[in-house]
């Protein structure tokens, strides 16, 4: 569907223009939404492009094309949530004997159902992996992905899939994508990267060799905190149909209305990210200089241990950050008691700014010991910077932090 003149256009142009002015019926500039669950046959044995909306839907097709373009992939599968997208990754781990009819068997693929995963990946991903492990679908091995020796040791046994997440949540630790993707692939594994935290506007793992990219489109891609959704982008054309087959088989495909909303949201991805990131830099600098703050974890600060890697691997530092209050949990309670503008809520990547206490909210499932090992201190606070005026965000933080004096 991509028009010829878009082939050489920038991603920012593509994200605006794909699907625009393509409606043959009425010339509607914005692509219409097709809510119908079913599509008629032209006649007996004469199927049109679509027949049933779980397997295919024109509205979903456009957002899939946009996201595949943004990530530089061969195709994308739009799912009902980020977790549904992740769950497609391990349906056909035995690539020598795939179940999906469209898959090409690869006799050289490792005979393994081993999935190597970062020990600090998103908690919902861990819950899903643990459940699939208990079912026997996969053998899940957690590893500190910043420890290359531990990762190499984990990959020494035949491994089907390596899942990476960068920056990490909530400490904003980065991993070297090029290096680790190569490490995984040299060991015979396919490599998937969860790119939710930065969005395709700021990081493109396929350019570093990733086989798959996963998104919770719930976050920056939709960007308005009003749709739960996900995307699985396949770098290789041969993987697209098998993954679509699985999404249809398990009923994980994204609804038409959600696809329409997400398409509407993604059109402004680049301008949203640009603005949020600019404000995030100002907020991070303010926090860095505040006496009540022990440390700020933000890749845009020269004090971040991987500031140079961020500059090399990312198109920008993003709009997520965390900081540790010197006064620990008591200080967090004081700040959260009266903070303007920031909503005390999980999730991220929306137009509105959010504040979270990882220890008791996003990472509450981890024991206090596990939190301590992972570096999640009781005084740690995470921010998702939205599109409010940076001066107002700093004013709100200054007022709340002022209560600590
Ligand atoms: N991956 C990451 C990094 C996330 O932060 C989340 C949700 O917070 C998910 C995946 C899961 O996405 P969803 O909530 O859309 O299922």
């Amino acid at each position: 569907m991509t028009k010829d003149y878009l082939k050489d256009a920038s991603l920012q142009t593509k994200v605006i223009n794909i699907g625009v002015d393509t409606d043959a019926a009425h010339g509607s500039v914005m692509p219409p939404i097709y809510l119908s669950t079913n599509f008629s046959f032209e006649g007996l044995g004469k199927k049109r492009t679509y027949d049933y909306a779980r397997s295919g839907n024109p509205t979903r097709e456009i957002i899939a094309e946009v996201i595949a373009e943004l990530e530089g992939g061969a195709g994308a599968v739009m799912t009902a949530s980020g977790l549904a997208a992740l769950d497609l990754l391990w349906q056909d781990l035995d690539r020598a004997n795939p179940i999906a009819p469209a898959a090409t068997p690869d006799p050289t693929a490792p005979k393994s159902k081993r999935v190597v995963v970062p020990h600090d990946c998103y908690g919902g991903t861990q819950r899903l992996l643990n459940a699939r492990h208990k079912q026997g679908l996969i053998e899940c091995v957690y590893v500190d992905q910043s420890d290359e020796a531990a990762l190499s040791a984990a990959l020494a046994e035949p491994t089907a899939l390596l899942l990476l997440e960068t920056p990490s949540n909530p400490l904003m630790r980065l991993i070297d994508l090029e290096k680790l993707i190569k490490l995984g692939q040299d060991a015979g594994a396919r490599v998937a990267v969860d790119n939710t935290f930065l969005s395709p506007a700021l990081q493109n793992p396929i350019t570093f060799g990733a086989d798959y990219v996963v998104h919770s489109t719930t976050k920056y891609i939709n960007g308005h905190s009003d749709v739960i959704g996900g995307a699985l982008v396949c770098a290789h054309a041969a993987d697209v149909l098998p993954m679509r087959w699985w999404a249809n088989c398990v009923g994980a495909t994204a609804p038409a209305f959600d696809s329409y909303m997400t398409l509407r949201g993604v059109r402004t991805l680049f301008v949203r990210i640009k603005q949020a990131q600019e404000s995030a830099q100002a907020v991070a600098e303010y926090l860095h200089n505040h006496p009540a703050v022990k440390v700020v974890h933000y890749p845009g600060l020269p004090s971040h241990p991987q500031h140079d890697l961020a500059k090399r691997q990312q198109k920008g530092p993003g709009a997520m950050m965390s900081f540790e209050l010197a006064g620990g949990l008591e200080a967090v309670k004081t700040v959260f008691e009266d903070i303007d503008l920031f909503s005390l809520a999980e999730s991220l990547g929306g137009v509105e700014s959010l504040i979270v206490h990882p220890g008791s909210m996003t990472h509450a499932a981890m024991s206090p010991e596990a939190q301590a090992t992972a570096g999640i201190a009781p005084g740690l606070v995470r921010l998702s910077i939205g599109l409010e005026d940076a001066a107002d965000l700093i004013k709100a933080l200054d007022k709340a932090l002022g209560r600590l004096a």
Side-chain angles (χ1 to χ4, degrees):
M1 196 191 277
T2 304
K3 302 155 192 158
D4 273 351
Y5 60 79
L6 278 185
K7 292 220 168 81
D8 299 324
S10 73
L11 289 179
Q12 185 171 342
T13 302
K14 283 180 179 169
V15 77
I16 299 292
N17 205 270
I18 290 174
V20 165
D21 199 8
T22 56
D23 171 40
H26 300 292
S28 74
V29 172
M30 283 301 151
I33 176 171
Y34 288 91
L35 286 169
S36 185
T37 55
N38 42 3
F39 300 85
S40 67
F41 282 57
E42 279 179 289
L44 192 63
K46 285 195 196 160
K47 181 170 127 35
R48 300 180 209 260
T49 309
Y50 302 100
D51 54 4
Y52 188 58
R54 176 173 12 83
S55 54
N57 170 280
T59 312
R60 193 162 67 227
E61 215 41 61
I62 300 173
I63 179 68
E65 189 184 339
V66 170
I67 292 180
E69 274 288 344
L70 283 174
E71 285 293 10
V77 189
M78 301 307 299
T79 54
S81 69
L83 287 180
L86 281 158
D87 207 29
L88 296 179
L89 285 172
W90 32 81
Q91 299 297 336
D92 243 343
L93 282 184
D94 182 359
R95 284 185 281 122
N97 302 290
I99 296 165
T104 314
D106 175 4
T108 66
K111 265 231 138 313
S112 167
K113 52 180 184 175
R114 200 174 155 87
V115 180
V116 173
V117 192
H119 73 312
D120 55 354
C121 72
Y122 169 62
T125 307
Q126 290 195 26
R127 184 181 53 208
L128 173 62
L129 284 159
N130 293 344
R132 294 304 190 205
H133 178 94
K134 278 191 191 146
Q135 283 180 314
L137 183 71
I138 63 168
E139 184 206 334
C140 179
V141 178
Y142 290 104
V143 63
D144 179 350
Q145 63 181 1
S146 65
D147 179 347
E148 261 180 64
L151 190 59
S152 297
L155 292 169
E157 289 197 34
T159 300
L161 183 78
L162 169 65
L163 177 64
L164 301 172
E165 222 181 270
T166 181
S168 75
N169 177 18
L171 292 163
M172 307 303 292
R173 292 181 180 136
L174 311 187
I175 53 145
D176 188 326
L177 279 178
E178 194 167 14
K179 209 179 198 181
L180 295 201
I181 289 170
K182 187 166 180 322
L183 203 68
Q185 288 171 342
D186 285 351
R190 286 288 184 96
V191 182
V193 180
D194 186 328
N195 201 24
T196 299
F197 252 54
L198 284 176
S199 95
L202 294 180
Q203 181 168 268
N204 302 112
I206 290 175
T207 61
F208 300 107
D211 298 295
Y212 305 103
V213 176
V214 183
H215 280 284
S216 166
T217 55
T218 313
K219 313 291 162 25
Y220 287 103
I221 287 181
N222 177 58
H224 293 73
S225 303
D226 52 9
V227 179
I228 298 283
L232 170 63
V233 184
C234 303
H236 316 291
D239 290 327
V240 179
L241 283 182
M243 287 302 186
R244 287 188 168 207
W245 183 88
W246 273 111
N248 179 48
C249 176
V250 300
T253 45
F257 190 73
D258 294 4
S259 300
Y260 180 84
M261 293 282 281
T262 305
L263 181 61
R264 193 177 196 273
V266 79
R267 300 285 191 202
T268 53
L269 175 68
F270 283 86
V271 281
R272 281 189 282 109
I273 287 276
K274 193 170 168 224
Q275 179 58 56
Q277 185 172 257
E278 201 179 299
S279 300
Q281 185 73 37
V283 169
E285 283 167 15
Y286 158 79
L287 290 169
H288 181 71
N289 293 318
H290 198 287
V293 176
K294 198 164 148 191
V295 59
V296 182
H297 306 286
Y298 181 63
L301 291 177
S303 59
H304 188 282
Q306 291 153 311
H307 181 60
D308 289 339
L309 176 61
K311 283 209 269 191
R312 210 166 61 236
Q313 168 169 291
Q314 303 175 187
K315 293 175 192 161
M320 293 297 299
M321 74 185 71
S322 59
F323 61 97
E324 192 182 331
L325 288 169
L329 187 57
E330 284 312 308
V332 174
K333 284 182 189 158
T334 308
V335 168
F336 280 39
E337 248 166 44
D338 184 21
I339 177 132
D340 299 336
L341 219 45
F342 288 84
S343 294
L344 176 58
E346 298 185 3
S347 201
L348 58 115
V351 292
E352 78 293 4
S353 290
L354 302 172
I355 193 164
V356 156
H357 178 239
S360 64
M361 295 171 73
T362 50
H363 291 66
M366 287 169 82
S367 66
E369 297 75 35
Q371 287 190 10
T373 311
I376 302 170
L380 193 73
V381 173
R382 190 188 80 180
L383 300 180
S384 171
I385 300 297
L387 301 185
E388 304 88 346
D389 190 323
D392 289 330
L393 292 171
I394 291 171
K395 193 169 144 199
L397 286 165
D398 201 48
K399 182 180 154 208
L401 291 174
R403 303 179 75 229
L404 296 172

